[in-house]
Amino acid sequence: MRQAKSALLGIVMALVAIALFIYLRKEPSRKNPTASPVSTVTEPVAGPPATTTTPPTPTVKQSAPVPTVYATTRVAGPRETARPVYPLQFTNIPPDRVLDNMRIVFHEYASMFGGNPVGTNPEITSSLNGNNPKQVNFINPEAGMRIDAQGEMIDPWGTPFFFHQLSGRVMEIHSAGPDRVMWSDDDLVIK
């Protein structure tokens, strides 16, 4: 009798786990499909009207369509000005979270192999994507990590990351930021 109760309890727990999995998997579909993309409102600045151009969209290996999210940055100063709004083209995850996910991937790789992958962006991407001694794939598209047609890991705006090896176990990850120009004021950097 006790074994029957134990087996019944196990079956009930398994059914609850399956129901929870199905519920959580369907949760993103509850979002309002008619909601407009997120954007930040900025105050008008005196001067000629601003014009914005949309940068070209590079070819990217992507498993599923990703909704467009808009991000802006502001420049602090005597007169606050707004920079152009560039869409996050390859993920709906906040850019700082994508960089943090990248940092975690490098820590995991270094823990498994005793050091970071080395080389250029395509070589490092290849190592993280399974071309390593244990054939482990560290790149997770659901964490905002994307690879372009040239085999380079790209930031949420489609610009290849710049990887700078600081030591055997510490990698600096550099994103060009929303203006898609490397080494400008809006770049994002994490170690």
Side-chain angles (χ1 to χ4, degrees):
M1 183 69 171
R2 185 171 211 164
Q3 288 179 342
K5 284 184 181 181
S6 178
L8 181 60
L9 179 62
I11 292 171
V12 169
M13 289 178 62
L15 290 174
V16 168
I18 291 170
L20 182 61
F21 174 77
I22 292 170
Y23 174 76
L24 292 176
R25 192 169 173 138
K26 290 185 177 184
E27 186 66 27
S29 65
R30 290 182 168 202
K31 294 180 182 175
N32 184 356
T34 60
S36 62
V38 177
S39 65
T40 304
V41 177
T42 58
E43 295 83 23
V45 177
T51 59
T52 59
T53 58
T54 305
T57 304
T59 306
V60 175
K61 289 189 251 178
Q62 193 167 331
S63 58
V66 177
T68 301
V69 177
Y70 294 93
T72 63
T73 57
R74 291 182 178 218
V75 178
R79 287 179 43 201
E80 191 173 279
T81 60
R83 291 191 176 155
V85 177
Y86 293 98
L88 298 177
Q89 298 175 352
F90 303 106
T91 184
N92 60 352
I93 299 173
D96 57 336
R97 184 66 197 150
V98 172
L99 253 62
D100 193 46
N101 292 340
M102 294 283 298
R103 181 185 57 78
I104 292 168
V105 162
F106 278 99
H107 284 275
E108 289 174 351
Y109 186 97
S111 294
M112 184 173 284
F113 296 108
N116 285 325
V118 295
T120 62
N121 184 321
E123 293 168 334
I124 290 171
T125 301
S126 176
S127 293
L128 294 174
N129 202 22
N131 188 15
N132 54 58
K134 295 185 180 181
Q135 298 180 343
V136 177
N137 183 359
F138 294 90
I139 298 174
N140 180 3
E142 292 177 6
M145 299 172 206
R146 300 286 186 260
I147 302 173
D148 68 7
Q150 289 75 36
E152 296 180 301
M153 290 196 68
I154 55 174
D155 66 14
W157 296 277
T159 307
F161 284 108
F162 177 77
F163 300 118
H164 179 216
Q165 185 89 12
L166 298 176
S167 71
R169 298 181 70 91
V170 179
M171 180 74 76
E172 181 179 81
I173 306 163
H174 197 110
S175 165
D179 69 357
R180 303 181 73 195
V181 176
M182 197 64 82
W183 315 114
S184 62
D185 292 338
D186 69 345
D187 291 5
L188 304 172
V189 181
I190 196 168
K191 296 176 189 176

